[in-house]
Amino acid sequence: MIQKFTKKKFETMSSTFSLLFLLLAVPLIAQAGFVKTCGRDFCVDGKKWVPVGFNAYWLGLDEAYQHPSWKRIEEMFQVAKKMSATAIRSHTVGHSSGSKPSLRPWDRNLNNDAWKSIDTAIYLANKYNVRLVVPLTDNYWWFNGNYGDYAKARGLSKKDFWTNRALIDDFKDYINKYLNHVNQFSGIAIKDDPAIFLIETGNELGNIRNQDNSVPPKAWIQEISDYIRSIDKNHLILDGVDESLGQSDNFHIPSINVYSRHFYSEDYEALHARAADAAKVGKPLIVGEFSSHCSDNWLRLMEKEENVKGTFFWSMYGHDDNGQWIRHDDGFTLYYKEGSSYNNLLKLANHARRMQGLSEISSLP
């Protein structure tokens, strides 16, 4: 029977074939091993592995409350490879909350439309063999939301998040759904996906910059990290406490595997002290954020600090789907290989290479 094709039918079929072509054109994932700790080093399949790269916090949701396209997300993984990076830290791959397009807009009901960009980022991390660090909430009232959104939904104050049973259970409900989510492109649950390097309990938890912020107590850190481990046997867990690291007996929580500090000043005393604290309990420290405009001396100090096992500068942005730069002028954002960013990018690429024991390069590819 000869079927009459209307314009609408033709457009529908064209869209279907375009999606099919895209999926077929993407190489199948070549699975690698999970990142583990070997003493105070990181390793994959028994071989030493060094996490070094940058923050691209917007891969799941950007400031325009848009879910980034495949093209925009893939650009960051291409940049990572060119800069000899092995990992990217991305807040919105791990969470977004409090707005309609976010993954957790209000209550326990998640927004299924938000998964596509998250799934894309995790899929592409496998394709490019660049791992991800994913925080599960945030401390601040930025566009991506924070743990205060859980409290707001129940008419409670932000600081209640650490102790109120309903709020703790709400967060655990989110963690359960997140870790058990199955990627629409690979068919692999997040808890089983080796593209994830670290599950981070949150971004800069305990940084006191607003009156409603407070330091997470040891009981909360213990319960949340234990709960993550009860679901996810594969991934390392990163304590999301930053400036207040150590105030909650953080270094004596067995289910925490890795610690982190962020540096926008070149505070070597604090770096050395926290690295030493982690070393005393046989665990590594990473620098989860540092200024992209730091001195070469700061880079070399991080490289020489024995128990600093990974670093991530702040931050990278790229182009929109039409090839135009998307500006994010926070004073730290770099663009590959834009002229004003070039010298910093080359310096940071050579830092990444030295961290991995590779020879330096004289220009970026």
Side-chain angles (χ1 to χ4, degrees):
M1 179 179 177
I2 298 176
Q3 195 172 22
K4 184 176 180 180
F5 284 83
T6 65
K7 181 180 179 181
K8 183 176 181 180
K9 287 180 180 178
F10 180 78
E11 289 175 345
T12 300
M13 290 184 67
S14 295
S15 177
T16 301
F17 283 126
S18 294
L19 178 60
L20 179 61
F21 177 79
L22 174 63
L23 293 175
L24 291 175
V26 177
L28 294 175
I29 296 174
Q31 295 292 349
F34 291 91
V35 179
K36 301 298 182 184
T37 50
C38 297
R40 287 185 282 118
D41 288 321
F42 297 108
C43 59
V44 177
D45 297 331
K47 296 180 180 180
K48 184 177 178 180
W49 178 82
V50 180
V52 62
F54 53 80
N55 284 265
Y57 60 88
W58 50 269
L59 298 183
L61 185 72
D62 67 15
E63 277 96 341
Y65 295 96
Q66 300 293 320
H67 301 121
S69 66
W70 185 291
K71 182 178 180 180
R72 286 183 60 198
I73 296 169
E74 187 163 26
E75 180 185 7
M76 289 298 97
F77 288 98
Q78 292 167 341
V79 167
K81 299 300 288 187
K82 291 175 181 177
M83 291 191 64
S84 303
T86 61
I88 295 173
R89 181 170 177 263
S90 186
H91 302 53
T92 56
V93 172
H95 95 100
S96 56
S97 62
S99 65
K100 186 176 180 179
S102 66
L103 182 56
R104 192 183 189 275
W106 182 248
D107 52 25
R108 291 188 174 196
N109 296 305
L110 302 189
N111 172 20
N112 286 329
D113 292 339
W115 283 115
K116 185 176 180 180
S117 54
I118 295 169
D119 289 346
T120 298
I122 297 172
Y123 188 93
L124 289 172
N126 275 296
K127 176 184 174 182
Y128 285 91
N129 193 26
V130 173
R131 313 271 177 156
L132 288 164
V133 178
V134 291
L136 294 175
T137 190
D138 206 328
N139 188 44
Y140 306 114
W141 295 104
W142 303 129
F143 79 96
N144 56 312
N146 67 87
Y147 65 81
D149 293 321
Y150 289 82
K152 187 186 299 184
R154 288 188 177 273
L156 299 170
S157 67
K158 189 178 179 183
K159 65 182 180 180
D160 291 329
F161 184 72
W162 312 124
T163 56
N164 182 275
R165 178 45 50 189
L167 297 184
I168 293 172
D169 288 346
D170 283 347
F171 189 46
K172 289 166 74 171
D173 174 77
Y174 173 74
I175 292 170
N176 180 56
K177 288 173 179 172
Y178 180 81
L179 293 175
N180 282 296
H181 170 73
V182 175
N183 191 300
Q184 61 194 284
F185 301 114
S186 68
I188 301 171
I190 289 175
K191 66 182 180 182
D192 298 322
D193 200 316
I196 305 297
F197 162 40
L198 294 172
I199 302 291
E200 185 173 2
T201 56
N203 174 58
E204 296 191 354
L205 303 180
N207 286 15
I208 309 298
R209 297 180 189 174
N210 299 302
Q211 290 183 346
D212 55 0
N213 291 349
S214 55
V215 175
K218 182 179 181 179
W220 183 90
I221 301 169
Q222 179 82 65
E223 180 171 353
I224 294 304
S225 58
D226 285 352
Y227 185 70
I228 293 170
R229 179 60 66 235
S230 73
I231 300 169
D232 185 340
K233 309 296 184 185
N234 294 312
H235 296 116
L236 300 175
I237 300 173
L238 172 62
D239 186 354
V241 172
D242 173 32
E243 292 173 357
S244 60
L245 181 60
Q247 293 183 26
S248 300
D249 197 23
N250 306 71
F251 296 104
H252 296 94
I253 300 174
S255 48
I256 292 292
N257 305 109
V258 185
Y259 298 95
S260 175
R261 271 298 312 266
H262 297 177
F263 292 93
Y264 288 88
S265 63
E266 300 182 6
D267 187 349
Y268 179 69
E269 183 178 350
L271 175 70
H272 178 73
R274 297 294 80 77
D277 287 337
K280 289 175 185 176
V281 294
K283 296 178 182 181
L285 182 102
I286 65 168
V287 177
E289 296 179 19
F290 69 93
S291 169
S292 61
H293 300 293
C294 70
S295 68
D296 189 65
N297 181 60
W298 176 250
L299 296 176
R300 293 181 184 275
L301 285 172
M302 290 192 292
E303 292 161 23
K304 291 178 181 178
E305 185 61 44
E306 184 179 359
N307 200 41
V308 172
K309 301 299 184 178
T311 66
F312 296 79
F313 73 83
W314 187 276
S315 69
M316 287 298 303
Y317 238 105
H319 299 84
D320 63 23
D321 289 338
N322 296 315
Q324 301 298 311
W325 293 113
I326 299 175
R327 294 299 174 184
H328 179 255
D329 297 321
D330 64 357
F332 303 101
T333 305
L334 300 183
Y335 305 87
Y336 194 91
K337 304 178 336 185
E338 189 183 53
S340 61
S341 299
Y342 188 88
N343 289 336
N344 280 333
L345 289 169
L346 179 59
K347 179 177 66 178
L348 292 162
N350 278 322
H351 163 67
R353 295 181 67 82
R354 292 193 300 267
M355 288 282 289
Q356 298 172 78
L358 302 173
S359 61
E360 294 189 16
I361 54 177
S362 58
S363 61
L364 295 170

